[in-house]
Amino acid sequence: MKFSSVKTPAFMVIRFLLVLALCIGNYSCSENSSKDFYIQAEKATNDGDIAKAISLYKSAIEADDSFIEAYQKLGTIYYLQNSYEEAITLLNSLLIISPTNFDAHFILGNIHSKSGKYTKALYHYEQALITNTKDAKLYQNMASAYVNLDNTQLALNFYNKALYLDPKDKISIKAKIYREKNQEKNYI
């Protein structure tokens, strides 16, 4: 007896469901979603395979050009690898999708600060501050930029805020020492 010759309603339903399951199974196996790429990229990152992670994050963004987390992770990798031009391009694309994205502004601020563009750095730090007023590292970075712009008073204000938010942080402790030294200079 051939399967095609069986015409009972129960068998027809089962046959239809099998064909449907095969079609769905084949589709999901051949098409990776942006989340699939992202999960694989996270694993590659954790395994230390950064080249693979970069490729997979790019695939996640190509599959879904509004996948904010993929932009953030890829931008962070570029930043940590000192690939600043790639990071700037990618993070500026992210800001088109998510104009108030903290991570994008924070990383762009760091890149500009490392490049000696302190005014640009402060612009991005101030934008990041709009969405997160509780990040001690942000205040430390702002203080550092103001130090480089020779604005001691604003630097001290931001160092104090960083110290208030995270009194145990080593950089905050250095900020406290910096503040105390500058106060001594003002009294002399």
Side-chain angles (χ1 to χ4, degrees):
M1 174 166 67
K2 294 183 183 175
F3 285 123
S4 60
S5 65
V6 178
K7 302 285 187 198
T8 65
F11 184 78
M12 295 299 288
V13 169
I14 291 171
R15 183 173 158 198
F16 172 76
L17 291 174
L18 281 170
V19 170
L20 182 63
L22 286 172
C23 289
I24 291 172
N26 286 338
Y27 174 76
S28 64
C29 290
S30 64
E31 293 290 325
N32 282 329
S33 73
S34 58
K35 289 183 182 178
D36 293 333
F37 287 124
Y38 183 82
I39 291 166
Q40 292 172 35
E42 289 284 284
K43 183 178 180 336
T45 302
N46 292 336
D47 292 345
D49 191 348
I50 302 304
K52 183 177 180 180
I54 288 171
S55 175
L56 289 164
Y57 283 127
K58 285 180 178 179
S59 295
I61 292 168
E62 288 171 9
D64 178 0
D65 64 358
S66 64
F67 196 167
I68 292 171
E69 293 83 1
Y71 280 96
Q72 290 173 183
K73 295 286 184 157
L74 184 55
T76 300
I77 288 174
Y78 284 148
Y79 168 68
L80 293 173
Q81 290 192 320
N82 297 323
S83 299
Y84 296 148
E85 290 305 315
E86 289 93 341
I88 289 170
T89 300
L90 183 81
L91 295 171
N92 281 330
S93 296
L94 173 55
L95 289 175
I96 292 169
I97 300 164
S98 178
T100 60
N101 187 279
F102 175 84
D103 291 333
H105 282 294
F106 186 78
I107 294 170
L108 285 168
N110 291 344
I111 290 169
H112 291 305
S113 186
K114 284 186 175 194
S115 302
K117 299 173 185 170
Y118 302 111
T119 303
K120 276 187 171 183
L122 284 167
Y123 167 78
H124 286 289
Y125 291 146
E126 288 167 0
Q127 294 303 305
L129 192 60
I130 291 170
T131 58
N132 185 349
T133 60
K134 304 289 185 201
D135 191 295
K137 299 272 187 235
L138 175 60
Y139 288 102
Q140 292 165 5
N141 292 358
M142 292 179 80
S144 178
Y146 279 117
V147 165
N148 286 298
L149 291 172
D150 292 324
N151 191 330
T152 305
Q153 188 56 51
L154 282 175
L156 288 173
N157 290 345
F158 284 105
Y159 276 137
N160 284 332
K161 183 68 175 178
L163 186 61
Y164 172 78
L165 290 171
D166 192 358
K168 294 181 181 179
D169 186 71
K170 289 179 184 178
I171 294 175
S172 293
I173 292 168
K174 288 179 184 177
K176 181 178 179 183
I177 294 166
Y178 175 82
R179 180 189 68 205
E180 290 169 359
K181 284 184 179 179
N182 275 303
Q183 287 175 346
E184 287 175 13
K185 287 179 185 178
N186 291 335
Y187 292 115
I188 296 175

